[in-house]
Amino acid sequence: MSTTTSPAPGRSVPGPGGPGAQPAAAPRIVRQRRRRPGLIALSVALIAAGGLSGALLFTASGQRTAVLVVTRDVPVGAAITDADLAPASLALDPAVKAVPVARKAGVVGQRAAVALTAGSLLSPGQVTSVSLIKAGEQLVGVALKTSQLPASRLAPGQKVLIVSTPDPNQAAAAVAGGKAAEPAGPKTVAATVVAVGVAAPATGVVVDVAVPVAEGPELAARVATGAVALILAPQEGS
């Protein structure tokens, strides 16, 4: 009769390693990470694009051009002086037209074809060599007091009207002397502002205007009497 002996609780059964050997641990299962080729390719492409953008930006910022900028406001028609311009080094788009610093000597002395604003970039189309005094016109200086001028600032190129009103006392004296009386009412002469002098509180300001040759001598005579005023002519399209 055979007897089967069961191991007592708390005791380990001797294994192949002999008495006292620990039981073998279960093997660990290592999961392999799944690679995503599409994501890797996208990352590489983004890194390459960033590097290319940085290279292009560095190259563009390094290609700077020496050009002219306006240092102070210049009204239309006014002569451009050396103090009106200054050099600047800028990175410009090829579509931007600017005047190189090397051409400054040729720009000084020309006139502003448009009103130039301080801090703006000077372009070739903003300067002209055309004078505001055209063929068949004369330059007449008109001395005016503050009360004989509009409050708006005058600028070369503006169209104005010189209004003259004969002195009533002079008109009466002319009639008494047997001279023909001048037509009643003010007389106006169309003119173009060429230059504006520096205003002084006591003496006023002198405005140089271009008028037709036939009107020049008479206007100068009326200006000498002081009985004149200047008003702005209606603008085209107004």
Side-chain angles (χ1 to χ4, degrees):
M1 180 175 180
S2 61
T3 304
T4 304
T5 305
S6 300
R11 293 182 178 180
S12 59
V13 179
Q22 297 296 327
R28 297 179 59 185
I29 301 176
V30 180
R31 296 183 179 180
Q32 294 183 352
R33 294 183 179 180
R34 184 179 178 182
R35 297 182 178 179
R36 299 180 180 180
L39 183 59
I40 296 176
L42 178 60
S43 301
V44 173
L46 291 176
I47 295 173
L52 180 60
S53 300
L56 291 176
L57 181 61
F58 177 79
T59 303
S61 61
Q63 294 179 350
R64 307 177 75 86
T65 305
V67 295
L68 293 175
V69 295
V70 182
T71 58
R72 56 187 180 183
D73 294 344
V74 180
V76 58
I80 300 174
T81 65
D82 184 79
D84 296 330
L85 304 173
S89 181
L90 303 174
L92 300 177
D93 187 278
V96 177
K97 303 300 181 183
V99 179
V101 172
R103 291 182 52 193
K104 182 178 181 180
V107 173
V108 173
Q110 296 196 44
R111 297 184 179 276
V114 297
L116 303 180
T117 306
S120 62
L121 185 67
L122 184 68
S123 64
Q126 293 178 327
V127 296
T128 179
S129 58
V130 179
S131 174
L132 293 177
I133 304 176
K134 302 177 183 178
E137 291 182 338
Q138 285 183 332
L139 187 67
V140 179
V142 182
L144 300 165
K145 297 180 180 180
T146 305
S147 59
Q148 298 170 308
L149 284 166
S152 301
R153 181 182 177 184
L154 295 176
Q158 282 184 309
K159 302 297 182 181
V160 297
L161 296 175
I162 309 299
V163 183
S164 58
T165 304
D167 188 344
N169 296 329
Q170 291 182 353
V175 173
K179 296 181 180 180
E182 294 186 5
K187 182 177 181 180
T188 61
V189 176
T192 302
V193 177
V194 175
V196 182
V198 179
T203 59
V205 63
V206 176
V207 181
D208 289 343
V209 296
V211 297
V213 173
E215 303 281 358
E218 184 178 356
L219 176 59
R222 291 181 179 274
V223 170
T225 66
V228 293
L230 184 148
I231 64 175
L232 294 177
Q235 302 297 319
E236 295 181 1
S238 61

